[in-house]
Amino acid sequence: MTDSGTTPNLRERNKRRTREAISHAATRLFIEQGFDRTTIAEVAAAAGVAKMTVTNHFPRKEDLFFDLHEELAGRLAGTVSERAPGESALAALRRDCLAGLDRHDARLGFSGPDFARTVSASPALAARLRELHEQSETALAEALAEAVHEMPVGFECRVAAALLAAVDRAVFAEVFRRTLAGEDHAAIAAAVRPSAVRAYDRLENALGNYAVREV
């Protein structure tokens, strides 16, 4: 009984450690050599694993660098799905964004300057980042549609998702721009937070009562 209960947990821990080792090795190489010049074989050798192990954990090379790609693409939808009773989608996303700025959340673009420069220097990484933002907006539209019982996703849900996701994307872009300029996390958060507040305030009349969760 004990073995059957602990073996899956041990397997999952080992899998997680291997994934983290691969991600750390890849990030180091990408920063040192450039993303486009680094091969999967080099990442595998640096992590001490087989090339197939790398591709099993990360089918796309870009996601070796954006190891939080699933969290980035799903954050907005998850925030709406988990909003509190009586809370609108806008209020939930505002709360999550401002809290993320306060804690310097990587999903809002907080990273080291080396990380930001590596993305900026690689068209492939920049394209993948745009794709992740698009996936985030699509997932948000689906979460809004479920919240207002408008399945399949309708026009209004897509418009609402586009407006709400635009604030998040603008925050990410500004955090990223300031990181490239060499500002530290605290200064970036202090500068971006008021802009985010104003952006959400401007959406209040249009979406303040949209997708309010029943009490």
PDB file of all heavy atoms in Angstrom, residues 1-17:
ATOM      1  N   MET A   1       0.842  -1.201   0.000  1.00  0.00           N
ATOM      2  CA  MET A   1       0.000   0.000   0.000  1.00  0.00           C
ATOM      3  C   MET A   1       0.882   1.258   0.000  1.00  0.00           C
ATOM      4  O   MET A   1       0.664   2.185  -0.736  1.00  0.00           O
ATOM      5  CB  MET A   1      -0.919  -0.018   1.212  1.00  0.00           C
ATOM      6  CG  MET A   1      -1.838   1.210   1.297  1.00  0.00           C
ATOM      7  SD  MET A   1      -3.085   1.222  -0.004  1.00  0.00           S
ATOM      8  CE  MET A   1      -4.139  -0.123   0.572  1.00  0.00           C
ATOM      9  N   THR A   2       1.945   1.245   0.814  1.00  0.00           N
ATOM     10  CA  THR A   2       2.820   2.412   0.898  1.00  0.00           C
ATOM     11  C   THR A   2       3.531   2.661  -0.424  1.00  0.00           C
ATOM     12  O   THR A   2       3.604   3.786  -0.908  1.00  0.00           O
ATOM     13  CB  THR A   2       3.860   2.224   2.016  1.00  0.00           C
ATOM     14  OG1 THR A   2       3.172   2.033   3.248  1.00  0.00           O
ATOM     15  CG2 THR A   2       4.740   3.450   2.116  1.00  0.00           C
ATOM     16  N   ASP A   3       4.045   1.575  -1.056  1.00  0.00           N
ATOM     17  CA  ASP A   3       4.772   1.732  -2.308  1.00  0.00           C
ATOM     18  C   ASP A   3       3.882   2.322  -3.390  1.00  0.00           C
ATOM     19  O   ASP A   3       4.272   3.223  -4.124  1.00  0.00           O
ATOM     20  CB  ASP A   3       5.327   0.384  -2.780  1.00  0.00           C
ATOM     21  CG  ASP A   3       6.477  -0.071  -1.893  1.00  0.00           C
ATOM     22  OD1 ASP A   3       7.001   0.779  -1.157  1.00  0.00           O
ATOM     23  OD2 ASP A   3       6.809  -1.262  -1.927  1.00  0.00           O
ATOM     24  N   SER A   4       2.642   1.796  -3.494  1.00  0.00           N
ATOM     25  CA  SER A   4       1.745   2.276  -4.545  1.00  0.00           C
ATOM     26  C   SER A   4       1.347   3.718  -4.307  1.00  0.00           C
ATOM     27  O   SER A   4       1.043   4.459  -5.234  1.00  0.00           O
ATOM     28  CB  SER A   4       0.490   1.394  -4.622  1.00  0.00           C
ATOM     29  OG  SER A   4      -0.239   1.483  -3.399  1.00  0.00           O
ATOM     30  N   GLY A   5       1.367   4.141  -3.033  1.00  0.00           N
ATOM     31  CA  GLY A   5       0.990   5.517  -2.743  1.00  0.00           C
ATOM     32  C   GLY A   5       2.126   6.496  -2.954  1.00  0.00           C
ATOM     33  O   GLY A   5       1.901   7.647  -3.293  1.00  0.00           O
ATOM     34  N   THR A   6       3.374   6.047  -2.764  1.00  0.00           N
ATOM     35  CA  THR A   6       4.494   6.989  -2.840  1.00  0.00           C
ATOM     36  C   THR A   6       5.170   6.991  -4.203  1.00  0.00           C
ATOM     37  O   THR A   6       5.728   8.003  -4.597  1.00  0.00           O
ATOM     38  CB  THR A   6       5.545   6.641  -1.773  1.00  0.00           C
ATOM     39  OG1 THR A   6       5.998   5.300  -1.977  1.00  0.00           O
ATOM     40  CG2 THR A   6       4.965   6.793  -0.386  1.00  0.00           C
ATOM     41  N   THR A   7       5.114   5.882  -4.941  1.00  0.00           N
ATOM     42  CA  THR A   7       5.818   5.802  -6.217  1.00  0.00           C
ATOM     43  C   THR A   7       5.378   6.877  -7.200  1.00  0.00           C
ATOM     44  O   THR A   7       6.231   7.547  -7.801  1.00  0.00           O
ATOM     45  CB  THR A   7       5.660   4.407  -6.836  1.00  0.00           C
ATOM     46  OG1 THR A   7       6.224   3.440  -5.947  1.00  0.00           O
ATOM     47  CG2 THR A   7       6.377   4.332  -8.174  1.00  0.00           C
ATOM     48  N   PRO A   8       4.070   7.098  -7.392  1.00  0.00           N
ATOM     49  CA  PRO A   8       3.674   8.167  -8.316  1.00  0.00           C
ATOM     50  C   PRO A   8       4.183   9.535  -7.881  1.00  0.00           C
ATOM     51  O   PRO A   8       4.578  10.344  -8.724  1.00  0.00           O
ATOM     52  CB  PRO A   8       2.137   8.103  -8.284  1.00  0.00           C
ATOM     53  CG  PRO A   8       1.825   6.717  -7.850  1.00  0.00           C
ATOM     54  CD  PRO A   8       2.917   6.364  -6.884  1.00  0.00           C
ATOM     55  N   ASN A   9       4.178   9.797  -6.570  1.00  0.00           N
ATOM     56  CA  ASN A   9       4.674  11.085  -6.091  1.00  0.00           C
ATOM     57  C   ASN A   9       6.166  11.237  -6.363  1.00  0.00           C
ATOM     58  O   ASN A   9       6.622  12.309  -6.757  1.00  0.00           O
ATOM     59  CB  ASN A   9       4.413  11.231  -4.599  1.00  0.00           C
ATOM     60  CG  ASN A   9       2.936  11.383  -4.276  1.00  0.00           C
ATOM     61  OD1 ASN A   9       2.179  11.846  -5.109  1.00  0.00           O
ATOM     62  ND2 ASN A   9       2.548  10.981  -3.081  1.00  0.00           N
ATOM     63  N   LEU A  10       6.929  10.161  -6.144  1.00  0.00           N
ATOM     64  CA  LEU A  10       8.356  10.197  -6.417  1.00  0.00           C
ATOM     65  C   LEU A  10       8.608  10.389  -7.905  1.00  0.00           C
ATOM     66  O   LEU A  10       9.488  11.162  -8.308  1.00  0.00           O
ATOM     67  CB  LEU A  10       9.011   8.896  -5.934  1.00  0.00           C
ATOM     68  CG  LEU A  10      10.518   8.759  -6.193  1.00  0.00           C
ATOM     69  CD1 LEU A  10      11.276   9.886  -5.501  1.00  0.00           C
ATOM     70  CD2 LEU A  10      11.012   7.391  -5.729  1.00  0.00           C
ATOM     71  N   ARG A  11       7.817   9.714  -8.722  1.00  0.00           N
ATOM     72  CA  ARG A  11       7.961   9.838 -10.167  1.00  0.00           C
ATOM     73  C   ARG A  11       7.684  11.268 -10.612  1.00  0.00           C
ATOM     74  O   ARG A  11       8.396  11.815 -11.453  1.00  0.00           O
ATOM     75  CB  ARG A  11       7.003   8.863 -10.873  1.00  0.00           C
ATOM     76  CG  ARG A  11       7.193   8.790 -12.378  1.00  0.00           C
ATOM     77  CD  ARG A  11       6.216   7.822 -13.012  1.00  0.00           C
ATOM     78  NE  ARG A  11       6.372   6.476 -12.474  1.00  0.00           N
ATOM     79  CZ  ARG A  11       5.434   5.830 -11.785  1.00  0.00           C
ATOM     80  NH1 ARG A  11       4.264   6.407 -11.545  1.00  0.00           N
ATOM     81  NH2 ARG A  11       5.644   4.592 -11.344  1.00  0.00           N
ATOM     82  N   GLU A  12       6.656  11.864 -10.036  1.00  0.00           N
ATOM     83  CA  GLU A  12       6.317  13.242 -10.407  1.00  0.00           C
ATOM     84  C   GLU A  12       7.403  14.217  -9.959  1.00  0.00           C
ATOM     85  O   GLU A  12       7.722  15.175 -10.670  1.00  0.00           O
ATOM     86  CB  GLU A  12       4.964  13.632  -9.791  1.00  0.00           C
ATOM     87  CG  GLU A  12       3.774  13.023 -10.498  1.00  0.00           C
ATOM     88  CD  GLU A  12       3.738  13.388 -11.972  1.00  0.00           C
ATOM     89  OE1 GLU A  12       3.916  14.590 -12.302  1.00  0.00           O
ATOM     90  OE2 GLU A  12       3.561  12.490 -12.803  1.00  0.00           O
ATOM     91  N   ARG A  13       7.968  13.979  -8.765  1.00  0.00           N
ATOM     92  CA  ARG A  13       9.042  14.860  -8.290  1.00  0.00           C
ATOM     93  C   ARG A  13      10.263  14.754  -9.193  1.00  0.00           C
ATOM     94  O   ARG A  13      10.894  15.769  -9.518  1.00  0.00           O
ATOM     95  CB  ARG A  13       9.409  14.523  -6.853  1.00  0.00           C
ATOM     96  CG  ARG A  13       8.393  14.987  -5.818  1.00  0.00           C
ATOM     97  CD  ARG A  13       9.000  15.021  -4.432  1.00  0.00           C
ATOM     98  NE  ARG A  13       9.435  13.702  -3.988  1.00  0.00           N
ATOM     99  CZ  ARG A  13       8.654  12.838  -3.353  1.00  0.00           C
ATOM    100  NH1 ARG A  13       7.395  13.151  -3.085  1.00  0.00           N
ATOM    101  NH2 ARG A  13       9.128  11.659  -2.972  1.00  0.00           N
ATOM    102  N   ASN A  14      10.604  13.540  -9.582  1.00  0.00           N
ATOM    103  CA  ASN A  14      11.744  13.348 -10.484  1.00  0.00           C
ATOM    104  C   ASN A  14      11.496  14.001 -11.840  1.00  0.00           C
ATOM    105  O   ASN A  14      12.402  14.614 -12.429  1.00  0.00           O
ATOM    106  CB  ASN A  14      12.025  11.857 -10.669  1.00  0.00           C
ATOM    107  CG  ASN A  14      12.626  11.229  -9.427  1.00  0.00           C
ATOM    108  OD1 ASN A  14      13.224  11.921  -8.599  1.00  0.00           O
ATOM    109  ND2 ASN A  14      12.467   9.927  -9.286  1.00  0.00           N
ATOM    110  N   LYS A  15      10.275  13.865 -12.315  1.00  0.00           N
ATOM    111  CA  LYS A  15       9.918  14.488 -13.587  1.00  0.00           C
ATOM    112  C   LYS A  15      10.027  15.999 -13.512  1.00  0.00           C
ATOM    113  O   LYS A  15      10.547  16.654 -14.419  1.00  0.00           O
ATOM    114  CB  LYS A  15       8.491  14.069 -13.972  1.00  0.00           C
ATOM    115  CG  LYS A  15       8.030  14.573 -15.318  1.00  0.00           C
ATOM    116  CD  LYS A  15       6.629  14.059 -15.625  1.00  0.00           C
ATOM    117  CE  LYS A  15       6.130  14.563 -16.968  1.00  0.00           C
ATOM    118  NZ  LYS A  15       4.749  14.049 -17.267  1.00  0.00           N
ATOM    119  N   ARG A  16       9.557  16.561 -12.395  1.00  0.00           N
ATOM    120  CA  ARG A  16       9.623  18.007 -12.213  1.00  0.00           C
ATOM    121  C   ARG A  16      11.068  18.487 -12.114  1.00  0.00           C
ATOM    122  O   ARG A  16      11.434  19.525 -12.684  1.00  0.00           O
ATOM    123  CB  ARG A  16       8.835  18.411 -10.973  1.00  0.00           C
ATOM    124  CG  ARG A  16       8.747  19.921 -10.761  1.00  0.00           C
ATOM    125  CD  ARG A  16       7.736  20.288  -9.699  1.00  0.00           C
ATOM    126  NE  ARG A  16       8.039  19.709  -8.404  1.00  0.00           N
ATOM    127  CZ  ARG A  16       7.367  18.711  -7.836  1.00  0.00           C
ATOM    128  NH1 ARG A  16       6.332  18.167  -8.443  1.00  0.00           N
ATOM    129  NH2 ARG A  16       7.717  18.246  -6.647  1.00  0.00           N
ATOM    130  N   ARG A  17      11.897  17.733 -11.390  1.00  0.00           N
ATOM    131  CA  ARG A  17      13.306  18.116 -11.260  1.00  0.00           C
ATOM    132  C   ARG A  17      14.007  18.077 -12.613  1.00  0.00           C
ATOM    133  O   ARG A  17      14.826  18.947 -12.924  1.00  0.00           O
ATOM    134  CB  ARG A  17      14.012  17.193 -10.256  1.00  0.00           C
ATOM    135  CG  ARG A  17      13.759  17.568  -8.798  1.00  0.00           C
ATOM    136  CD  ARG A  17      14.758  16.885  -7.894  1.00  0.00           C
ATOM    137  NE  ARG A  17      14.558  15.448  -7.854  1.00  0.00           N
ATOM    138  CZ  ARG A  17      13.821  14.816  -6.956  1.00  0.00           C
ATOM    139  NH1 ARG A  17      13.201  15.515  -6.008  1.00  0.00           N
ATOM    140  NH2 ARG A  17      13.698  13.500  -6.968  1.00  0.00           N
TER     141      ARG A  17
END
